[in-house]
Amino acid sequence: MQDISGKRVAILATNGFEQSELEVPRDKLRAAGAEVHVISLKPGEITGWDGSDWGRAVPVDRALSDVSARDYDALVLPGGQINPDLLRVEPVALEFIRAFWTGKKVIAAICHAPWLLIEAGIISGRKVTSYASIKTDVLNAGGLWQDAEVVTDQGLVTSRKPGDLDAFCAKIAEEITEGRHERRAA
């Protein structure tokens, strides 16, 4: 994975995130040199979902009310069914995501997290992938769904499932290294 020393990455999540989809990117991006913050709606801890039951708690580094997209180079959105479903009804979370998009910064979403891209209004006309069960949601929102391990479109990185995490993390680092991405009209 490319060295991304000096870069700052936000991971936006709440309770019910897929355990590996938060922890693996957090750890791999830190190992590549980035400063990574887990951001949530409230301070404290959030609890993941691991397999068929609740997983481990993860400390929240910053509350969403205390940060801005200007503070970061990239945003990672872990999936799981619960996490993105809870976040997509939170206007402050959607505004945070949109601010990365309008700032031409990297946004990476895995599994069910493209639901957040749909709600933020940034998926239409973009090549993306997702967990298979939300393919129709992506298509109905105007996304150009592809059955691939990782799909990238102008700094938007999407991946299907936890088994694709190595490629997903490597692509995030590559996109961060490239810098800001021009957003052409879809």
Side-chain angles (χ1 to χ4, degrees):
M1 191 152 70
Q2 294 182 350
D3 183 327
I4 51 174
S5 295
K7 301 298 184 179
R8 299 182 82 209
V9 179
I11 299 178
L12 178 62
T14 193
N15 290 311
F17 62 87
E18 181 67 33
Q19 199 79 44
S20 64
E21 294 174 10
L22 184 149
E23 291 177 340
V24 172
R26 178 197 63 196
D27 297 347
K28 284 187 176 284
L29 295 171
R30 283 179 178 165
E35 180 180 348
V36 181
H37 295 154
V38 175
I39 297 168
S40 194
L41 300 169
K42 297 176 182 154
E45 292 181 334
I46 52 176
T47 303
W49 189 263
D50 197 2
S52 61
D53 204 349
W54 290 101
R56 296 173 299 284
V58 169
V60 171
D61 298 307
R62 306 276 190 282
L64 186 54
S65 60
D66 296 333
V67 297
S68 164
R70 291 184 307 273
D71 301 332
Y72 298 95
D73 299 291
L75 174 64
V76 176
L77 302 169
Q81 293 175 333
I82 300 167
N83 170 62
D85 198 40
L86 292 174
L87 288 174
R88 69 182 175 159
V89 297
E90 295 291 338
V92 67
L94 298 176
E95 284 303 316
F96 189 62
I97 295 165
R98 281 188 207 105
F100 278 86
W101 187 249
T102 59
K104 300 176 172 60
K105 296 180 178 190
V106 175
I107 299 176
I110 187 168
C111 189
H112 287 76
W115 271 338
L116 292 164
L117 305 175
I118 292 168
E119 290 298 325
I122 61 175
I123 206 166
S124 183
R126 297 290 164 206
K127 292 180 281 187
V128 296
T129 193
S130 67
Y131 196 70
S133 68
I134 69 165
K135 172 184 175 182
T136 301
D137 297 339
V138 169
L139 292 169
N140 286 341
L144 308 174
W145 194 87
Q146 299 180 352
D147 185 13
E149 183 179 52
V150 177
V151 174
T152 305
D153 187 346
Q154 297 294 317
L156 182 62
V157 180
T158 53
S159 190
R160 297 179 299 203
K161 61 188 185 310
D164 301 333
L165 281 167
D166 287 342
F168 179 63
C169 294
K171 194 59 165 170
I172 294 167
E174 179 183 321
E175 292 296 303
I176 290 171
T177 301
E178 289 179 7
R180 293 186 184 258
H181 292 78
E182 293 305 315
R183 309 282 192 225
R184 288 181 237 144

